[in-house]
Amino acid sequence: MADGSAAETIFAVATGAGRAGVAIMRLSGPAAATACRQLTGAAPPPPRQAVLRRLREPGTGAPIDQALLLWFPAPASLTGEDVLEFQVHGSRGVLAVLADSLAGLPGLRPAEPGEFARRAFRNGRLDLTAAEGLADLIAAETGAQLRQALRQLDGELGRLYEGWRTRLLAALARLEAEIDFAAEEASVPAGLAAALRPDLAMLAAAIAAHLADAGRGERLRAGLQVAIVGPPNAGKSSLLNLLARRDVAIVAATPGTTRDLLEVPLDLAGLPVTLIDTAGLRPAADPVEAEGIRRARARAAAADLRLVLLDGARPDWPAGLAPELLAGAQLLAVNKVDLGQVGRPAALAGRPVLALSCRTGEGVPELLEQLQAQAAALLADGSGPVLTRARHRSALQATHAALTRLAAMPADSELALQAEELRLACQALGRLTGRVDVEAVLDRIFGEFCIGK
Ligand code: GDP
């Protein structure tokens, strides 16, 4: 599948935008060595050794910067191509002049977004799931997200799926061989299709178990959505501000001021949690508020967890809304306990309720503790490979569906039909890692059966 180096050499700043002590300009492609000579007046340094050199504009010889060079000749590089990195001072001026100088060299052009990873994939340095892991690692906001992305980048998922695909390919190869050579009564054992069934059933069960993860990996990647819901003025915005330790939501004494949904990402001991403040749930006074309430309901229903916040100053909060909210809430808290005399609505009978004060901070550590425990139960814990995207789920579902259809066929049914289901199962897995190719099936047929006639 690797189609070798692309003819064009690409370059891009690999580090973040803005002023910094150091920035990295990365080049990949066949002209990287030439670019090195043009800019530094010498061939690339020894592989993987940092060497300090003066960079000059190729036309004028005007100095650009002092740079640390790193040279990774193909194929042992990030992209599988010749890669050169310049560590320069991270100023806009240096990077602009360097980029201009590179763009002026023959065969060089600025890289498209994701083009380095794309070349790495094309050259077999990364499978598709690892490439996704790389993207997730760059986007990770908490420790748990980072660790999940890193495992995926390291190939944990790719190896699992490739292992399954290899087993399917072996089964397919045997079936194909039986189809092709059964008529000739060659030395292929009969009844192979039936003999394959137990292993395929085990594989289907493994895929089903992997799919039955309750979305833990996907949720860890995206962040856990926690909706704070409750009557107006209960202190939802105050709680959000308190937890976020910054003023993000409007806190006001007039009910009905939070009309938009506000989201605050939190790092809860490494777990990514997004808190969503919703408009107070009460009969709306005007159309704008009604829209806010509609969105709040939809969002609360779609969230992973719901925290219902009650107004301790008004234990008689609108009874009409209570059953719906209470039924869907994983966490219940009564706010404003600092006012004393906090009542307990009859609707809460028998349910654990946290006593809270956003004013004094009472009950906040307990609330965070409970939130963290609930989040941990819903998020992947790093104990094994977990799928992290809808793309993985749908490909695995397609694989599983094909295996299920195959299992439902009588063992003596048309071999070509059985092979077709196996082929579909293989293709779905192959799309997952990006390694779909029919040549592999042929290789297996001839490799496994030594049909040398
Ligand atoms: P929301 O409508 O649910 O978002 O409620 P807000 O956060 O805007 O708070 C409504 C009012 O209650 C504001 O005047 C807050 O200052 C007040 N409030 C919030 N939390 C507490 C608390 O723990 N104790 C007291 N005494 N007042 C609070």
Side-chain angles (χ1 to χ4, degrees):
M1 51 145 300
D3 58 2
S5 297
E8 286 177 308
T9 298
I10 51 173
F11 63 88
V13 179
T15 39
R19 202 186 290 179
V22 174
I24 296 175
M25 177 70 83
R26 184 185 274 159
L27 285 69
S28 178
T34 317
C36 182
R37 273 185 221 100
Q38 299 273 352
L39 280 142
T40 71
R48 290 172 288 282
Q49 281 181 32
V51 170
L52 193 64
R53 289 204 191 149
R54 167 86 54 195
L55 300 184
R56 293 179 184 281
E57 290 184 53
T60 63
I64 302 175
D65 195 4
Q66 186 96 306
L68 209 51
L69 270 64
L70 280 169
W71 172 239
F72 306 91
S77 73
L78 169 84
T79 57
E81 305 174 331
D82 282 349
V83 169
L84 179 66
E85 286 184 6
F86 294 119
Q87 288 188 16
V88 292
H89 292 102
S91 76
R92 262 195 278 277
V94 168
L95 291 172
V97 174
L98 182 53
D100 278 353
S101 300
L102 290 170
L105 296 174
L108 268 80
R109 65 161 171 83
E112 306 281 341
E115 206 173 358
F116 288 93
R118 206 184 173 121
R119 289 188 174 197
F121 165 66
R122 206 174 49 207
N123 291 324
R125 304 290 296 171
L126 292 175
D127 73 46
L128 274 190
T129 63
E132 289 168 339
L134 178 62
D136 290 350
L137 183 58
I138 292 167
E141 293 196 331
T142 74
Q145 283 178 320
L146 170 160
R147 286 186 288 278
Q148 172 163 287
L150 196 58
R151 286 200 311 274
Q152 196 171 322
L153 173 61
D154 285 344
E156 186 182 70
L157 268 193
R159 276 192 299 277
L160 177 69
Y161 299 154
E162 275 300 298
W164 287 344
R165 197 173 73 96
T166 305
R167 275 164 74 183
L168 285 178
L169 281 175
L172 180 57
R174 286 168 155 251
L175 262 190
E176 301 261 358
E178 198 172 354
I179 292 167
D180 289 353
F181 301 104
E184 302 172 30
E185 288 178 40
S187 55
V188 178
L192 266 178
L196 295 172
R197 291 290 175 100
D199 185 48
L200 292 177
M202 272 164 58
L203 192 54
I207 294 174
H210 183 69
L211 278 168
D213 67 345
R216 291 156 61 87
E218 286 151 294
R219 215 180 277 123
L220 177 55
R221 178 173 170 266
L224 190 83
Q225 306 271 310
V226 179
I228 305 178
V229 288
N233 242 15
K236 299 181 295 297
S237 306
S238 305
L239 179 62
L240 194 80
N241 289 341
L242 189 69
L243 295 181
R245 291 198 189 82
R246 56 192 163 108
D247 285 340
V248 287
I250 312 153
V251 182
T254 332
T257 46
T258 308
R259 288 181 177 167
D260 282 315
L261 300 177
L262 289 159
E263 302 196 1
V264 176
L266 287 185
D267 181 337
L268 215 55
L271 302 175
V273 168
T274 300
L275 289 177
I276 307 154
D277 180 19
T278 58
L281 295 178
R282 61 158 193 179
D286 66 73
V288 181
E289 194 186 342
E291 174 58 18
I293 290 170
R294 193 195 63 74
R295 282 191 218 170
R297 281 182 203 276
R299 197 57 204 271
D304 298 305
L305 283 179
R306 278 153 294 276
L307 161 61
V308 165
L309 195 63
L310 310 177
D311 189 346
R314 294 197 50 204
D316 63 327
W317 63 290
L321 296 173
E324 157 214 334
L325 283 182
L326 292 177
Q330 287 80 6
L331 290 164
L332 286 173
V334 178
N335 189 29
K336 309 188 190 181
V337 294
D338 56 287
L339 295 178
Q341 292 288 318
V342 167
R344 186 181 171 90
L348 298 182
R351 296 203 51 181
V353 181
L354 234 125
L356 198 69
S357 170
C358 292
R359 188 151 288 172
T360 65
E362 182 187 342
V364 172
E366 289 80 5
L367 176 67
L368 282 176
E369 215 170 89
Q370 288 195 16
L371 192 56
Q372 195 180 323
Q374 300 237 16
L378 289 170
L379 297 172
D381 59 4
S383 59
V386 282
L387 60 95
T388 57
R389 291 175 190 238
R391 189 181 81 81
H392 306 159
R393 188 171 291 284
S394 66
L396 291 167
Q397 279 164 345
T399 307
H400 189 262
L403 289 176
T404 306
R405 286 193 300 271
L406 174 60
M409 287 181 188
D412 60 353
S413 54
E414 181 103 35
L415 290 181
L417 293 177
Q418 299 193 43
E420 183 54 23
E421 295 298 358
L422 268 186
R423 207 170 291 121
L424 288 173
C426 282
Q427 271 171 11
L429 274 182
R431 278 200 304 277
L432 198 43
T433 54
R435 293 195 197 283
V436 169
D437 52 346
V438 283
E439 287 304 310
V441 183
L442 300 178
D443 290 348
R444 284 218 160 248
I445 291 181
F446 297 110
E448 207 173 302
F449 282 96
C450 307
I451 302 162
K453 46 184 217 168

